[in-house]
Amino acid sequence: MGASSSTANPSPEAHEQREQETLASATLALPLLRAAFTRTSSADADTLPDALAPPRGASFLRPPGSPPPPPHFHDLLAGLGPAVASLFSAGGTAVLEGDAGWVPFLRGFNRCCARVSASRSLALLLRVYAAACAAAGAPCGVQFQPGDEGGDEEGKVVGELAPEEIAAFLWMCWVMAWSGSAPRDSGDGGDKSEPVAVLLPDVTHLVLSALVSAGAVADDDGIWGWEISGGGKGVKVQEFTSWMLSTASGIGNCLSRYVQGRFRSLVADPTEESSVSTVDMAFDTSDVFLLTRGRAWAISLSLRNKLSEKFLSASVIGMDTEDLLYRSSVHGKGLSRFWSGVEGYKGPMLILLSAFSKGGVENVDSDRRWVIGVLTEEGFESKDTFYGSSGFLCAAHPIFRMLPPSGKEKNFVYSHLHPQIRVYEANPKPVGLAFGGTVGNERIFLDEDFSKVVVCHHAVDKTYQHGSLIPNQGYLPVEASVLEVEVWGLGGEATRRQQDVYKKRENIFSEQRRKVDLKTFGNWEDSPEKMMMDMMADPNRVRREDR
């Protein structure tokens, strides 16, 4: 009776341990967590701040055409491990050695990785950034007001972030995401391996998006030629948080993914870890496509589906060139060339378009080009009506903005080619590509030659959400000259194989249609074609059927 009574009424410590283990197991396997705790609590192993530090031996390079990271950026990354480890000892409860520290360790892990509100995740991430800046002696406008008595919150996040601080914060978040695909020690240790060069993504379009959202920069001519290093008005932390929740909600997952990735790397087999994709990290340091690493990361932060992982990988190691279905500078401009690349691809695709509009000004500098994109969930079809089930519009340069479906209409895609058999049409449908709006009044319309694109105001469109796609858009349609068009297939290898099978089958059918088998015609004298020709020559001639 006594034993059953003690089992039915566990001690408060045992009850808390059970709760913390249940909560942690929903995120990461308990055996893996136990192994990570053992490694960090033993005297002859790494400490918790070392275990939570980013991979060492990486040299972060500046993005092409963008300002370099601040001088204190590497010091900020050096303080990232202690800053994250400080979350494990919040409230004065440090992680102890031995089994006594197991529950505090779980408590700290759940604090970082358990499912909580997006605003709380962002507040923790800002706290990590502030602690890393303090360790590096870097300027930081993030401040914390004391929390309510008796609460478990550490206080309200306040303050103001300058443009340079926003860029440093975003780069820190990207390094945390990059760490998930990098080995724990990249180039340091006993061997004399050289540091790995890692290209930081360009985040200028994201910083501009946050500043425009807060009203610090006007969404017009003020964004042309704007530079992060130029300084300017800052953004309040509350406004910056609101922008992240609405435009880059994926940033809130950075801390949880980072901690899980560091613990997985900590307990991984060193022999297996040494063979992890170090080749993937030593990639080409040039962004030659419209889909740059910075734009891929921005898209990944705004999506909440499986494609987010695809774009996140592209921001780290670049896109697989086999996924490039069409590029106008390589395959030629025009709808027919475009169609030969995308026909038969039954999967999601990203279309990026680079152009510039004169806007009444002669000889506009081509540096004022803008880039917009369309993310489709399915393949293209040749129709004279709109179709599709889902999609996104995207402003990619010089400012980033993602426009998801509004749910009111389903005019997602319009792709109409010239019919093979020409017939007279009193009201012919336009030939080209279009997205949103209605036939004849499309939100984006790309002509047949891929030489001109027309972008209309969002008032004509009920399919995608409201928002400007290009600077100085106004209410009138904007006609622009097309510079480049890219199409990326996002369906993976299986979808590519299906397209290859489709193209081979179509080629066989085309060859069969070109060949004429004379044996099938039989004797010309007995053929219906000769009878018709004779009747047309003399329709009054009396004919009698031979029996």
Side-chain angles (χ1 to χ4, degrees):
M1 293 292 293
S4 61
S5 176
S6 62
T7 304
N9 298 302
S11 64
E13 292 79 8
H15 179 70
E16 182 185 7
Q17 178 176 343
R18 185 178 304 172
E19 286 185 343
Q20 295 295 338
E21 289 179 345
T22 302
L23 187 60
S25 63
T27 306
L28 205 61
L30 279 181
L32 191 149
L33 280 174
R34 174 65 78 171
F37 170 70
T38 303
R39 289 285 302 272
T40 56
S41 59
S42 60
D44 57 346
D46 295 334
T47 62
L48 187 59
D50 292 334
L52 293 173
R56 295 180 288 271
S59 176
F60 296 97
L61 306 177
R62 60 174 294 178
S66 66
H72 58 266
F73 183 67
H74 286 81
D75 294 334
L76 187 150
L77 295 181
L80 183 57
V84 177
S86 66
L87 300 179
F88 282 70
S89 58
T93 305
V95 178
L96 306 176
E97 295 183 0
D99 291 339
W102 172 238
V103 174
F105 177 85
L106 289 175
R107 194 183 298 122
F109 175 80
N110 290 328
R111 185 164 181 259
C112 297
C113 303
R115 183 173 297 179
V116 294
S117 63
S119 59
R120 178 168 170 78
S121 298
L122 293 174
L124 285 175
L125 194 58
L126 287 170
R127 181 173 294 276
V128 169
Y129 171 72
C133 287
C140 180
V142 179
Q143 302 172 4
F144 301 91
Q145 293 180 348
D148 299 333
E149 295 183 0
D152 59 350
E153 299 287 345
E154 294 79 10
K156 184 179 179 181
V157 184
V158 295
E160 184 174 301
L161 291 170
E164 299 89 342
E165 296 175 4
I166 296 176
F169 172 79
L170 293 174
W171 274 324
M172 183 196 76
C173 293
W174 182 85
V175 170
M176 296 172 72
W178 164 84
S179 301
S181 61
R184 185 164 176 267
D185 293 322
S186 303
D188 83 328
D191 56 349
K192 296 182 179 180
S193 56
E194 296 183 359
V196 177
V198 180
L199 179 69
L200 290 171
D202 187 1
V203 296
T204 305
H205 56 316
L206 286 170
V207 177
L208 263 176
S209 179
L211 295 176
V212 169
S213 176
V217 175
D219 188 9
D220 48 33
D221 281 340
I223 66 175
W224 294 115
W226 183 88
E227 295 182 357
I228 295 176
S229 57
K233 185 179 178 181
V235 178
K236 293 183 178 179
V237 172
Q238 293 87 345
E239 295 175 337
F240 182 61
T241 302
S242 299
W243 170 81
M244 288 190 290
L245 291 173
S246 60
T247 305
S249 59
I251 293 180
N253 300 325
C254 286
L255 180 60
S256 174
R257 294 167 61 100
Y258 177 76
V259 172
Q260 296 178 53
R262 290 294 84 200
F263 283 163
R264 289 193 184 96
S265 178
L266 179 66
V267 301
D269 187 353
T271 58
E272 295 181 359
E273 189 179 344
S274 62
S275 62
V276 176
S277 55
T278 55
V279 177
D280 291 343
M281 297 166 56
F283 44 73
D284 185 13
T285 58
S286 60
D287 275 325
V288 296
F289 300 106
L290 292 181
L291 184 59
T292 62
R293 291 175 174 85
R295 292 166 190 165
W297 187 50
I299 296 175
S300 72
L301 295 177
S302 61
L303 296 178
R304 299 181 181 180
N305 52 28
K306 61 182 180 180
L307 292 179
S308 176
E309 295 294 329
K310 180 81 171 181
F311 287 107
L312 177 60
S313 175
S315 72
V316 174
I317 62 176
M319 284 290 291
D320 186 356
T321 55
E322 292 185 359
D323 291 329
L324 183 62
L325 302 179
Y326 170 77
R327 193 182 187 193
S328 59
S329 60
V330 176
H331 303 98
K333 279 189 173 183
L335 188 59
S336 59
R337 300 293 182 89
F338 165 86
W339 200 257
S340 63
V342 304
E343 187 178 13
Y345 193 90
K346 303 302 181 181
M349 284 180 278
L350 174 68
I351 303 98
L352 289 176
L353 184 150
S354 172
F356 70 93
S357 52
K358 293 184 177 181
V361 181
E362 296 181 358
N363 299 325
V364 172
D365 187 357
S366 60
D367 289 340
R368 285 198 169 192
R369 66 185 183 93
W370 38 263
V371 180
I372 59 177
V374 181
L375 181 63
T376 66
E377 298 289 340
E378 54 196 31
F380 284 94
E381 302 177 34
S382 181
K383 291 185 176 182
D384 59 358
T385 59
F386 275 93
Y387 60 92
S389 58
S390 183
F392 295 81
L393 298 183
C394 171
H397 177 80
I399 186 175
F400 178 79
R401 185 179 288 120
M402 203 76 170
L403 304 178
S406 64
K408 297 179 181 179
E409 288 185 353
K410 292 187 176 182
N411 292 348
F412 291 100
V413 181
Y414 173 92
S415 53
H416 182 43
L417 283 73
H418 278 299
Q420 295 182 354
I421 302 177
R422 299 293 181 91
V423 295
Y424 173 76
E425 292 180 294
N427 297 310
K429 298 295 179 66
V431 177
L433 295 179
F435 308 94
T438 56
V439 176
N441 201 20
E442 302 85 359
R443 187 165 182 178
I444 301 175
F445 182 81
L446 184 60
D447 68 355
E448 181 183 6
D449 298 327
F450 280 19
S451 61
K452 181 182 68 175
V453 61
V454 178
V455 182
C456 293
H457 189 263
H458 56 69
V460 305
D461 179 26
K462 295 182 180 179
T463 301
Y464 300 96
Q465 288 188 4
H466 290 177
S468 61
L469 290 170
I470 60 177
N472 300 324
Q473 184 170 348
Y475 292 96
L476 298 178
V478 176
E479 182 177 314
S481 300
V482 177
L483 298 175
E484 182 78 285
V485 180
E486 281 182 7
V487 182
W488 294 88
L490 308 173
E493 185 179 354
T495 307
R496 288 202 305 263
R497 288 199 300 265
Q498 293 176 358
Q499 185 190 28
D500 292 339
V501 172
Y502 173 85
K503 287 187 174 182
K504 290 179 181 179
R505 185 171 63 247
E506 288 298 313
N507 289 335
I508 293 175
F509 290 160
S510 299
E511 292 296 330
Q512 290 177 349
R513 286 191 291 266
R514 291 192 186 99
K515 295 179 180 180
V516 178
D517 189 1
L518 298 178
K519 296 181 180 179
T520 60
F521 286 91
N523 188 5
W524 169 254
E525 296 294 332
D526 298 333
S527 65
E529 287 81 2
K530 184 177 185 302
M531 182 179 295
M532 292 296 297
M533 293 290 291
D534 292 343
M535 291 180 63
M536 293 176 63
D538 188 3
N540 297 323
R541 180 181 178 182
V542 179
R543 291 181 177 275
R544 184 177 62 183
E545 183 178 1
D546 296 333
R547 298 183 180 274

